[in-house]
Amino acid sequence: MEKLIKKINDFNELVMFKHSIFSLPFIFIAMVVAAKGWFGFKLLILGVLAALTARNFAMGFNRYMDRDIDALNPRTENRPNVDGRISVKSMLIFNIANALGFIAVAYFVNDLAFYLSIPILIIIGSYSYFKRFSYLAHVILGISLALAPIAGVVAVSESIPLWTVLLSIGVMFWVAGFDLLYSLQDMEVDKKLKLHSIPSKFGAQKTMYISRVFHTLTVLFWLLFVITSNSGIFAYIAVLASAIMLSYEHYLVNKDFTKIDRAFFTVNGYLGIVFFVLIVIDNIF
């Protein structure tokens, strides 16, 4: 039993399960808006399973592909994919199982979800390659998480309305913007290993400026989402709250680079939860 618990903890560390909080709220935001409220227990369960299997595949595949890079980075050299706690074979099995699980869940959602499942897996898996030849990898990561609201609305209505696209574009800029800040930690390592990233190409100050531009666009597209979805006052409050929290995130990073983890995990985690709660309230009253 102890070995099993240890192995589960190792896989939990591998995919950083707690970071699912970034994608889960926006799947359910789209589902709540599409259903104009409660969308049923079946879609709740399938939505959670789809989000977890997709994210496990994305993170697991990234760790599998990056094990050579992670071994050369002092910040990542103790990860389970590097130090031998999880074998290459185990990672492959884990990735295949989650990919098949995601496809199976999509099959039980509806036909459009099933047809889109493999293209979605290809997109979220492609992030692992981009950093090797393009500094736009941050945007690819943003696109990967931006698929969450699209998947949510497809599950409910088997369609992709304009407001979902606007919400997703906002998510893309949100994720790309905070990934830029997080990547500042690896700027010198990326240069040394000849990896492509915006910090290694443009430096810290320009990276923070680009991140601010991305997050300004985030707020703009989320505002357009609220307008086109005919949402109410609480949805506008959600956009205002997100603008305040993103401003605070940049304040933390500008003040002290050592606050990057706090800005990345805490602020962005709360942002998704607050946004979701306010959207739920907006669709109840």
Side-chain angles (χ1 to χ4, degrees), residues 112-129:
L112 182 56
F114 178 62
Y115 297 146
L116 292 175
S117 61
I118 293 179
I120 286 174
L121 288 174
I122 292 172
I123 292 171
I124 63 179
S126 66
Y127 165 71
S128 300
Y129 290 97

Side-chain angles (χ1 to χ4, degrees), residues 49-79:
L49 290 175
L52 295 183
T53 50
R55 191 186 175 284
N56 283 345
F57 167 77
M59 289 296 295
F61 187 70
N62 178 258
R63 295 293 188 256
Y64 170 77
M65 292 300 302
D66 281 3
R67 58 193 189 279
D68 57 333
I69 296 173
D70 288 347
L72 299 174
N73 186 339
R75 187 176 65 82
T76 59
E77 62 184 0
N78 293 319
R79 284 177 174 172

